[in-house]
Amino acid sequence: MGSQPDTAIAIRPYLPEDAEATLRIFERAVSISALSRYTRGQVSAWLGGPRDLATWAADRARVATFVAERGGELAGFIDLAGDGYVDRLFVDPDHGRRGVGRALLQHVEAEARRLKIPILTTHASLVARPVFQASGFTVVYPETVHKDGERLDRFFMRRSL
Ligand SMILES: CC(C)(COP(=O)(O)OP(=O)(O)OC[C@H]1O[C@@H](n2cnc3c(N)ncnc32)[C@H](O)[C@@H]1OP(=O)(O)O)[C@@H](O)C(=O)NCCC(=O)NCCS
């Protein structure tokens, strides 16, 4: 029989009507996928309580956000700031490990080249580090942030273009 071809991934710019779906992906990615490397307490601190949709939408307007569609659903999103900082990369657990994160990073890399941004940087979680590494990022230094009494380990990473 052979393996089934995977469902195609399409990347497009974020639209205002994507606010609710991207917020839901963020919440699901942190509360489900991040549990593989963080405790429940750490995940709750990271989520930081319910988010206000209007604030979330305003945040998306301050950066370039791109969304990934897979199988007719919004599967993930990525934020690129004007200085090359990749602020958010989140993929819904239902679409995890299918290349959505990789496709979003490839898209942002092409966008950064187009805008003549020379370096991409990010703060990667323990979960995201291998994904950024697979896309050519290297660790500059590990760091620990403190939120709501929890320690959250992460990595400052960069990639020269
Ligand atoms: C991190 C995250 C965005 C990855 O998205 P994804 O779509 O599942 O990642 P991909 O399928 O594109 O993975 C690309 C490559 O990264 C590497 N990778 C991904 N997950 C990995 C894991 N758990 N362990 C080791 N390598 C991994 C692999 O090389 C993978 O390619 P392969 O599947 O062909 O081997 C997603 O898991 C997520 O949202 N996690 C929770 C929230 C989070 O930590 N976000 C990042 C904040 S900085």
Side-chain angles (χ1 to χ4, degrees), residues 78 86 89 101-109 131-132 135 137:
I78 192 166
V86 179
L89 169 64
R102 185 196 298 276
L104 284 163
L105 278 168
Q106 273 171 0
H107 187 85
V108 149
E109 180 193 320
V131 183
F132 280 95
S135 289
F137 283 70

Side-chain angles (χ1 to χ4, degrees), residues 25-26 28-30 32-34 36 38 46 77 86-93 95-103 122-135:
I25 288 170
F26 165 74
R28 280 172 50 79
V30 175
I32 300 171
S33 306
S36 63
Y38 296 93
W46 184 352
F77 69 97
V86 179
D87 192 9
R88 290 178 189 272
L89 169 64
F90 291 93
V91 171
D92 191 277
H95 296 275
R97 213 62 201 267
R98 298 291 189 282
V100 174
R102 185 196 298 276
T122 196
H123 284 98
S125 70
L126 295 168
V127 187
R129 177 186 168 170
V131 183
F132 280 95
Q133 248 161 359
S135 289

Side-chain angles (χ1 to χ4, degrees), residues 58-92:
D59 285 349
R60 301 281 77 63
R62 272 193 281 278
V63 290
T65 298
F66 300 95
V67 301
E69 291 176 331
R70 182 174 172 272
E73 291 177 1
L74 222 62
F77 69 97
I78 192 166
D79 284 350
L80 174 67
D83 60 359
Y85 184 65
V86 179
D87 192 9
R88 290 178 189 272
L89 169 64
F90 291 93
V91 171
D92 191 277

